[in-house]
Amino acid sequence: MLRRTFLTALAATTIAFTAFGPASAEDRFITVASTTSTQDSGLFNVLLPAFTAKTGITVKVVAQGTGQALDTARRGDADVVFVHAKAQEEKFLAEGFGVKRYPVMYNDFIVVGPKADPAGIAGGKDVATAFKTMADKKVPFVSRGDKSGTNTAELKLWQVAGVDLAAVRGDWYREIGQGMGATLNTAGAMGAYTLSDRATWLAFANKGDLVVVVEGDKKLFNQYGAMLVNPEKFPTVKAKDGQAFIDWLVSPEGQAVIASYKINGTQLFFPNATDPKA
Amino acid sequence: MLQDVSIISALWKIISGGDGDFYSIILLSLEVTLTAVTLAGCVGLPLGAMLALTRFRGRLPIIVVINTLMGFPPVVAGLVVFLLLSRSGPLGGLGLLFTPQAMMTAQFILVLPIIVALTRQTVEDLWSEYADHMTSLGVGRIGSIPTLLWDARFSLVTTMLAGLGRASAEVGAILIVGGNIAGYTRTMTTSIALETSKGDLPLAMALGVVLITITLCINGLAYGVSRIGAKLAGGR
Amino acid sequence: MRDVTSMLPLKLQDIALEVDGRRLLEVTATSIRNKRRTVVLGPNGAGKTLFLKVCHGLLKPSSGRLDFVAGKSDAEVRRRQAMVFQKPVMLRRSVRGNFTHALAMAGFGWRERRRLADETMAHFGLSALADRPARVLSGGEQQRLAIARAASLNPELLFLDEPTSALDPTAARQVEEMLELLRAHGMTLVMTTHDLGLARRFADDILFFHNGRLLEQGPADTFFTRPQTAEAQAFLENRLVW
Ligand SMILES: Nc1ncnc2c1ncn2[C@@H]1O[C@H](COP(=O)(O)OP(=O)(O)OP(=O)(O)O)[C@@H](O)[C@H]1O
Ligand SMILES: [Mg+2]
């Protein structure tokens, strides 16, 4: 009874506010749950206007860690997910929340750390060795610890390196539960190593003492996929416009826009929609 | 690392319009905050006055709860609104998650207890002074509410400013329910959070300076107006 | 048709007021008569203010009866009386605002309010203060405003709780002149005061309280020339010990 009253009051309040909301010029919009890396890197700043110009559909991006973005979609609060953690995406599909996964592009992860390189791993080409060394020497390492795509990739790399994280965890391994930018800020301030996606790193403005120590290993590739949220689960999903966005992302035109995005002359994302294994 | 010069140049860049979204972000922030605070005032002032003047069982516990809610953690308020407005939540049908209206609702919930609690205290104090006079005029407690609210107006301006302060400084709740969508639900505070996470500390700081300046202006204006008014009406 | 017959006399029978088990006021029987000036006397703490508040309906007696002439509704009775408090209540508004507020509460329309307010202020020499904030007025000015404000409601019965306390002789004179105007207007006045000179000049009837009890009542001449109780005698000779 009380709960009913409260909900009614809240609904009334919220509806009252709709009278005050900014006049929404964009009647046609979709909500995309995506990752902080795509947003913070600035890719969306060129990608979305190109799509809107072509179709008249506005895209509202809620940038979260991959896990959180998928959860947002699981509640039906997004039309499309655009994330980078293949295993989690496949689980999402298997649960019936997604319709189909489309590979869109990849970028790569890099290991960054203090210029002084206390672990002595700089310049290495094998990321597994580098991770093993860091664990052995217990040099400070900042983990995002937020179930994001980057966090998932990091945990997988410890596995590949044969490190049993649960066993060797200690003071040196710091989970901060925040986005990529905040993680880089923290690593910089603590003189620690961390795993970052290249896009965020290049756009990141507060590098301070941090440098790239390991890059280029195939194991560091980071695949992005897009999925339409299942309209059979959530009838409110804007299936047509959402699918239009995905179709455009994987079209030659969308792929070309992705390839054209550069920071300081460096290309950040590599379109690979045509690669069936991606 | 964080030189004054870079803050100043960042300030210059955003103010001179180098960052096109900047003014719409300010406008949205003001719109969300002022709407939430205004509505909280419309509801909270009469509610606080009612609470001050009525006597019923359970009144004291309610007062204690409301006083406690003044310190309600914004993220929790955000989370509650989020879960309610989510498509899977009880109010999902409204489709209001990740909209400015959702942010207004969250801030409304945060500000309301402050306004109710402070109004109750103010009105109760004033009532102890006015009670005999109003009763003599044949006006009951509830009927006295407009008189009391009007005569307490200068203290209540401060109450509203306290609410405004909480709303305008708040980031936890609106980040959760608004989603920080560029050009749609991105406000001053969520921009600051975002720029900090991007490591663009000078820009974050510059935005912070602008936010503080705006808040300062609003407070200065409200305080000045209420002081002048108080002077004309003969003190508080 | 407006009912113009008087609601007085006000009759009190076996009134007692108790707070936390303490008996603060006890009145066996008395009445407030139409068009008379009743002055309530007694030392500090005798219960004069409580008596006025009980008569005015601000305090509910613990027992006893308090009756106006039969056939008047509660609202009617309320509308026909007013009270000026020992410590005047000044609304946080201009002097004029204090008048218009009281008149608004009494149900007068917007235009009527302003007219009556301006008239009353002119009548009592307050026009020069009209736009001043009420709360910065001097004590005497506030006292006069409170009386005029109550008078503007044109009550049949007006209670005044020490209207001349803490006033300089000139201000006290001005207040006394106001009271004279009200009497001439036909109002029934009930007033407390510690100014025996004023009481002698002004009173038709006296009610004498001591220790919360109404000890003596009657015409003023009798009271001042031949007080019945030892307490009243002592009070008049300024040697009452309590
Ligand atoms: N609400 C109350 N609770 C308890 N005691 C009270 C209350 N109001 C008044 N009294 C007591 O009742 C007594 C009479 O108070 P009252 O104000 O009527 O005195 P008074 O005759 O008006 O005195 P003064 O000349 O000082 O104004 C005092 O002793 C006072 O302390
Ligand atoms: Mg008294």
Side-chain angles (χ1 to χ4, degrees):
Chain A
M1 178 56 207
L2 199 66
R3 200 180 106 100
R4 239 331 233 298
T5 318
F6 173 72
L7 283 182
T8 315
L10 192 82
T13 310
T14 321
I15 292 166
F17 281 126
T18 51
F20 295 95
S24 55
E26 69 280 2
D27 317 304
R28 249 184 113 190
F29 70 87
I30 55 170
T31 305
V32 175
S34 187
T35 63
T36 45
S37 52
T38 31
Q39 160 136 323
D40 292 3
S41 66
L43 172 66
F44 281 147
N45 292 344
V46 298
L47 198 58
L48 303 184
F51 172 68
T52 306
K54 163 119 185 162
T55 59
I57 302 169
T58 310
V59 181
K60 293 179 181 164
V61 176
V62 180
Q64 300 163 325
T66 291
Q68 209 188 342
L70 288 170
D71 280 344
T72 299
R74 277 192 182 94
R75 272 188 299 268
D77 293 324
D79 304 306
V80 172
V81 280
F82 187 16
V83 294
H84 61 100
K86 196 171 172 184
Q88 286 189 48
E89 291 162 46
E90 278 164 353
K91 182 159 168 275
F92 181 83
L93 275 182
E95 290 163 352
F97 287 109
V99 177
K100 176 169 186 255
R101 177 177 175 275
Y102 295 81
V104 177
M105 61 189 187
Y106 71 90
N107 69 347
D108 62 339
F109 291 118
I110 51 178
V111 180
V112 300
K115 209 180 271 147
D117 191 25
I121 55 172
K125 286 282 163 259
D126 181 19
V127 69
T129 317
F131 265 57
K132 182 92 181 78
T133 315
M134 286 192 289
D136 289 347
K137 295 195 176 167
K138 299 198 185 313
V139 289
F141 185 94
V142 179
S143 166
R144 287 187 45 178
D146 63 350
K147 284 210 292 178
S148 61
T150 310
N151 187 219
T152 311
E154 175 218 313
L155 294 176
K156 194 151 166 244
L157 283 173
W158 292 114
Q159 240 177 13
V160 172
V163 175
D164 180 4
L165 208 51
V168 300
R169 277 182 91 119
D171 251 5
W172 64 278
Y173 185 82
R174 294 160 190 172
E175 280 180 321
I176 64 167
Q178 296 193 62
M180 198 64 249
T183 305
L184 286 169
N185 276 333
T186 311
M190 300 198 309
Y193 292 86
T194 191
L195 184 75
S196 170
D197 62 284
R198 187 183 295 275
T200 309
W201 168 254
L202 285 174
F204 187 68
N206 186 29
K207 293 193 177 74
D209 212 22
L210 292 177
V211 291
V212 177
V213 288
V214 179
E215 62 185 326
D217 189 332
K218 255 221 147 57
K219 289 191 277 298
L220 285 170
F221 283 7
N222 176 29
Q223 180 66 41
Y224 284 79
M227 293 177 285
L228 181 70
V229 179
N230 194 347
E232 281 168 22
K233 282 236 171 189
F234 300 104
T236 47
V237 166
K238 294 169 179 155
K240 198 165 131 278
D241 289 351
Q243 189 61 44
F245 179 58
I246 296 174
D247 290 346
W248 182 80
L249 280 180
V250 300
S251 73
E253 191 186 336
Q255 296 272 297
V257 174
I258 292 170
S260 73
Y261 183 60
K262 291 189 171 75
I263 292 180
N264 299 333
T266 313
Q267 180 179 344
L268 291 177
F269 296 96
F270 300 87
N272 65 344
T274 45
D275 179 352
K277 293 196 300 296
Chain B
M1 182 176 80
L2 187 64
Q3 290 128 3
D4 311 347
V5 187
S6 53
I7 295 177
I8 291 169
S9 70
L11 251 179
W12 175 244
K13 195 182 130 217
I14 53 181
I15 291 171
S16 63
D19 194 334
D21 299 336
F22 178 62
Y23 287 99
S24 60
I25 287 178
I26 292 185
L27 278 182
L28 178 68
S29 301
L30 287 177
E31 186 173 353
V32 168
T33 303
L34 292 178
T35 312
V37 173
T38 307
L39 241 88
C42 292
V43 175
L45 292 173
L47 212 62
M50 295 271 278
L51 202 56
L53 298 177
T54 50
R55 295 287 176 274
F56 54 92
R57 241 185 37 182
R59 175 175 173 268
L60 287 181
I62 287 181
I63 289 175
V64 172
V65 167
I66 288 178
N67 286 347
T68 310
L69 286 182
M70 286 204 282
F72 199 43
V75 268
V76 179
L79 197 59
V80 170
V81 175
F82 177 85
L83 291 175
L84 291 173
L85 292 183
S86 169
R87 287 286 182 194
S88 312
L91 299 176
L94 300 173
L96 283 173
L97 192 64
F98 303 141
T99 63
Q101 288 75 31
M103 300 197 286
M104 291 173 190
T105 307
Q107 292 201 337
F108 175 83
I109 289 177
L110 286 175
V111 171
L112 190 63
I114 293 193
I115 294 184
V116 172
L118 296 181
T119 303
R120 182 201 60 81
Q121 190 62 56
T122 307
V123 168
E124 211 167 303
D125 291 348
L126 195 59
W127 173 249
S128 66
E129 186 187 328
Y130 281 18
D132 277 343
H133 181 61
M134 297 307 291
T135 316
S136 171
L137 289 172
V139 185
R141 286 164 175 264
I142 301 299
S144 299
I145 288 179
T147 301
L148 291 165
L149 287 180
W150 176 253
D151 278 35
R153 59 200 177 276
F154 306 116
S155 312
L156 294 179
V157 166
T158 313
T159 298
M160 294 297 287
L161 287 180
L164 188 71
R166 175 138 157 115
S168 65
E170 191 282 315
V171 61
I174 55 173
L175 198 56
I176 296 177
V177 303
N180 193 23
I181 297 169
Y184 186 57
T185 56
R186 183 161 301 167
T187 66
M188 298 286 293
T189 51
T190 60
S191 301
I192 293 172
L194 178 67
E195 294 307 334
T196 306
S197 82
K198 285 204 232 170
D200 197 341
L201 304 188
L203 181 55
M205 199 58 215
L207 287 166
V209 169
V210 172
L211 176 60
I212 291 169
T213 310
I214 292 175
T215 315
L216 191 71
C217 291
I218 295 178
N219 274 273
L221 203 71
Y223 186 70
V225 166
S226 84
R227 282 320 299 169
I228 293 169
K231 201 155 191 179
L232 292 178
R236 322 178 4 118
Chain C
M1 231 13 239
R2 222 181 125 209
D3 180 7
V4 289
T5 59
S6 174
M7 64 177 185
L8 294 170
L10 165 62
K11 289 189 173 155
L12 287 83
Q13 189 74 45
D14 294 322
I15 292 285
L17 179 73
E18 282 176 11
V19 176
D20 302 330
R22 263 182 64 212
R23 178 159 288 215
L24 296 179
L25 190 69
E26 198 176 322
V27 176
T28 314
T30 191
S31 58
I32 306 289
R33 290 189 287 159
N34 195 13
K35 307 241 190 227
R36 300 280 287 187
R37 289 166 296 179
T38 306
V39 170
V40 181
L41 292 178
N44 288 134
K48 304 182 296 294
T49 298
L50 291 180
F51 175 72
L52 256 54
K53 284 188 175 174
V54 166
C55 290
H56 189 44
L58 297 183
L59 291 175
K60 228 180 108 54
S62 325
S63 62
R65 294 180 57 86
L66 189 138
D67 298 303
F68 288 94
V69 163
K72 305 281 178 194
S73 71
D74 286 357
E76 180 76 5
V77 163
R78 164 65 49 217
R79 199 183 56 70
R80 288 214 201 173
Q81 54 177 322
M83 178 158 172
V84 176
F85 298 97
Q86 192 163 357
K87 199 165 155 278
V89 177
M90 293 290 112
L91 301 192
R92 286 149 175 76
R93 304 172 188 222
S94 67
V95 169
R96 181 184 283 110
N98 269 270
F99 282 98
T100 49
H101 174 266
L103 290 162
M105 297 298 121
F108 288 95
W110 195 83
R111 206 162 270 153
E112 194 73 351
R113 264 177 242 169
R114 264 193 90 94
R115 190 181 62 73
L116 281 171
D118 287 343
E119 258 178 40
T120 315
M121 285 188 290
H123 198 64
F124 292 107
L126 290 168
S127 299
L129 303 177
D131 295 314
R132 296 262 297 279
R135 293 172 63 80
V136 302
L137 298 184
S138 78
E141 289 166 336
Q142 292 194 0
Q143 207 55 275
R144 278 163 58 207
L145 163 55
I147 297 170
R149 186 177 61 190
S152 73
L153 301 170
N154 196 20
E156 180 184 346
L157 172 61
L158 177 60
F159 296 98
L160 301 125
D161 198 357
E162 298 191 26
T164 60
S165 65
L167 296 189
D168 73 37
T170 321
R173 262 241 57 81
Q174 286 175 323
V175 167
E176 204 174 328
E177 281 162 15
M178 290 177 78
L179 298 178
E180 194 50 47
L181 281 172
L182 298 178
R183 187 198 62 81
H185 196 71
M187 260 177 225
T188 304
L189 302 170
V190 181
M191 175 175 90
T192 72
T193 183
H194 289 296
D195 181 346
L196 289 181
L198 173 63
R200 278 179 214 270
R201 288 192 296 278
F202 187 76
D204 297 322
D205 297 319
I206 295 288
L207 299 178
F208 176 72
F209 281 81
H210 185 242
N211 275 340
R213 295 181 53 201
L214 175 59
L215 279 193
E216 201 169 326
Q217 53 181 319
D221 324 344
T222 323
F223 178 80
F224 285 116
T225 50
R226 280 174 312 230
Q228 305 295 305
T229 57
E231 286 88 350
Q233 271 170 29
F235 177 74
L236 290 174
E237 289 162 19
N238 290 333
R239 53 173 183 77
L240 182 70
V241 275
W242 58 86

